[in-house]
């Protein structure tokens, strides 16, 4: 196996990336570089000084198996307990009347957001709720079935058929996936003036049964899109502590990774890296566009361009075209163009033409040497602040990691 394909086992959870960045608007830029280019400078940075992990490394392919972003689930609520028909009887009180208790209700199945989860891999294909207990003699009611909580990651969309029935996008969000059946009635329930000795009792009802489709739409603030080999994963490694695989061949990244950039004011910005997109991806070329669901909810985008490639400006046009094919208007989100690999000579030559063709400023940097990373980090913070302010103005709580 090529060493470039190897993965730190610390990033076993495919979407977990914990950056330890602290950034002051002006002062800490020097420190930034220390952290971003650990191999160039000898460092006193705590994070960079860590010993490399000795855990077994996982390849991207293996890691893909741990990451599941859609699941079909059959849920069945618990059955209600049966009511009982019996009569009270004790010495010297032979006809004590009906005393059959009601059955307990079946337990519901509830989907609940768990912030620790990053994929749907722990969700099983079927769940059966807890049944309620049958009623008993002496008016004893059966115990209701306990609630069954199914933890799901934040950003899970619940569909039934083609209809979206729930969007679990905030910590603690819950959705009752299947109701438990009602408990049956004991014969005591049917006691009436005109019927002093009812023998009727009813059985518990079966729980609700549903087939649901869960779909994960990763919640990150920023989404990185680019052609294969543009250096998206290298950039995520450089600005956060996420450890996506990096290698010199296309489609190294097979599933999304999220890295967290920490700022000095305790702000955390989650940046998602998704597989590369090529021209014609909407016709299922390359890895297609299905994984774009993971950047659909990002507030702003980073278009990562390989500046050393011939005519890099066409990459931005193609990316915007493909994004719009996936979802109209997606390319119009606030964005910044990142021109990567500025350390290479042909990249420097391409930069002025790229700026002119785009009609907007591109941030030229190198994910490998760490050159100019601070400009990107400051721009990300600006875009994040604007997005958070826009959210607040619309009365929505900004996403917090
Ligand atoms: N010289 C130079 N090489 C870079 C730079 N950034 C990335 N690379 C190299 O480009 C190649 C691809 O990098 P990746 O980070 O895997 O690219 P990617 O965009 O994630 O690729 P996919 O996952 O396949 O979409 C690797 O060999 C990197 O070492 C850079 O700034 N300068
Ligand atoms: Mg990659």
């Amino acid at each position: 196996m090529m060493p470039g394909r190897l993965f730190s086992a610390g990033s076993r959870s495919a979407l977990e990336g914990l950056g330890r960045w602290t950034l002051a608007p002006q002062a800490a830029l020097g420190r930034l570089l220390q952290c971003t280019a650990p191999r160039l400078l000898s460092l006193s940075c705590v994070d960079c000084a860590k010993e490399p992990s000795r855990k077994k490394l996982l390849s991207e392919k293996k890691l893909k198996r741990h990451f599941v972003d859609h699941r079909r689930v059959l849920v069945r609520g618990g059955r209600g307990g049966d009511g009982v028909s019996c009569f009270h009887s004790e010495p010297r009180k032979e006809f004590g009347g009906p005393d059959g208790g009601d059955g307990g209700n079946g337990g519901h199945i509830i989907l609940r957001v768990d912030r620790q989860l990053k994929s749907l891999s722990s969700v099983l294909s079927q769940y059966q709720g807890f049944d309620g207990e049958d009623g008993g003699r002496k008016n004893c009611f059966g115990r209701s079935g306990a609630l069954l909580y199914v933890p799901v990651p934040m950003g899970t969309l619940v569909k039934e058929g083609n209809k979206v029935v729930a969007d679990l996008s905030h910590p603690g969000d819950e959705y009752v996936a299947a109701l438990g059946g009602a408990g049956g009635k004991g014969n005591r329930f049917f006691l009436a003036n005109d019927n002093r000795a009812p023998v009727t009792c009813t059985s518990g009802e079966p729980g609700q049964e549903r087939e649901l489709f869960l779909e994960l739409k990763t919640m990150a603030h920023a989404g990185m899109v680019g052609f294969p080999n543009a250096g998206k994963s290298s950039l995520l490694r450089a600005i956060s502590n996420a450890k996506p695989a990096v290698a010199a061949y296309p489609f190294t990244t097979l599933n999304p990774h999220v890295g967290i950039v920490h700022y000095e004011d305790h702000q955390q910005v989650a940046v998602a890296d998704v597989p590369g997109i090529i021209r014609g991806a909407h016709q299922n070329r390359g890895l297609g566009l299905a994984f774009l669901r993971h950047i659909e909810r990002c507030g702003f985008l980073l278009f990562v361009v390989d500046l050393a490639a011939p005519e890099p400006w066409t990459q931005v046009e193609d990316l915007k075209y493909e994004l719009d094919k996936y979802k109209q208007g997606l390319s119009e989100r606030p964005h910044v163009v990142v021109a990567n690999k500025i350390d290479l000579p042909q990249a420097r030559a391409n930069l002025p033409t790229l700026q002119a063709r785009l009609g907007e400023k591109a941030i030229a940097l190198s994910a490998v040497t760490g050159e100019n990373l601070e400009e990107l980090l400051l721009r990300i913070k600006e875009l994040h602040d604007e997005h958070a302010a826009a959210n607040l103005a619309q009365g929505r709580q900004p996403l917090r990691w």
Side-chain angles (χ1 to χ4, degrees), residues 226-235 245-254 273-277 340-344 365-369:
F227 271 46
N229 264 344
K232 301 177 292 299
S233 306
S234 309
L235 194 56
V246 167
Y249 52 83
F251 303 114
T252 312
T253 304
L254 297 171
D273 164 30
V274 293
I277 297 171
N340 190 25
K341 309 197 184 180
I342 191 69
D343 55 302
L344 299 176
L365 51 76
S366 168
V368 167
T369 64

Side-chain angles (χ1 to χ4, degrees), residues 222-226 235 271 299-305 316 319-320 331-339 354-355 358 360-365 375-384:
M224 249 193 301
V225 282
L235 194 56
V271 181
F300 54 97
L301 304 174
L302 312 180
F303 290 119
V304 184
V305 176
V316 182
L319 286 173
K320 287 188 174 174
S331 68
E332 282 149 32
R333 294 256 168 100
H335 63 264
V336 54
V337 176
V338 181
L354 176 79
Q355 307 269 32
L358 286 182
E360 60 181 296
K361 190 175 183 303
I363 299 180
L365 51 76
E375 189 181 346
L376 174 66
L377 290 165
L378 292 174
R379 185 78 187 112
I380 289 176
K381 188 162 158 48
E382 269 172 32
L383 285 167
H384 174 261

Side-chain angles (χ1 to χ4, degrees), residues 113 132 172 176 214 285 369:
V113 171
V176 181
L214 307 187
R285 286 188 61 207
T369 64

Side-chain angles (χ1 to χ4, degrees), residues 144-267:
S144 290
L147 303 177
L148 177 63
Y149 286 98
V150 179
V152 293
M154 198 159 75
T156 302
L157 211 63
V158 187
K159 289 185 179 171
E160 192 170 22
N162 281 333
K163 197 171 149 228
V164 176
V165 290
D167 182 359
L168 306 173
S169 50
H170 294 99
D173 274 1
E174 290 183 358
Y175 175 68
V176 181
L179 291 166
K185 299 294 181 195
N187 65 338
R188 166 83 193 186
F189 178 82
F190 297 98
L191 179 66
N193 283 343
D194 55 350
N195 185 3
R196 304 304 300 165
V199 288
T200 317
C201 64
T202 57
S203 359
E205 287 180 11
Q208 194 183 15
E209 189 174 322
R210 292 170 84 188
E211 189 189 27
L212 299 175
F213 297 90
L214 307 187
E215 197 179 296
L216 177 62
K217 292 191 174 187
T218 304
M219 309 282 289
H221 300 110
M224 249 193 301
V225 282
F227 271 46
N229 264 344
K232 301 177 292 299
S233 306
S234 309
L235 194 56
L236 191 69
R237 275 175 168 257
I239 61 175
S240 76
N241 259 15
K243 294 282 177 270
V246 167
Y249 52 83
F251 303 114
T252 312
T253 304
L254 297 171
N255 53 273
H257 296 261
V258 176
I260 314 287
V261 186
H262 288 240
Y263 289 92
E264 203 173 67
D265 55 358
H266 301 290
Q267 216 169 38

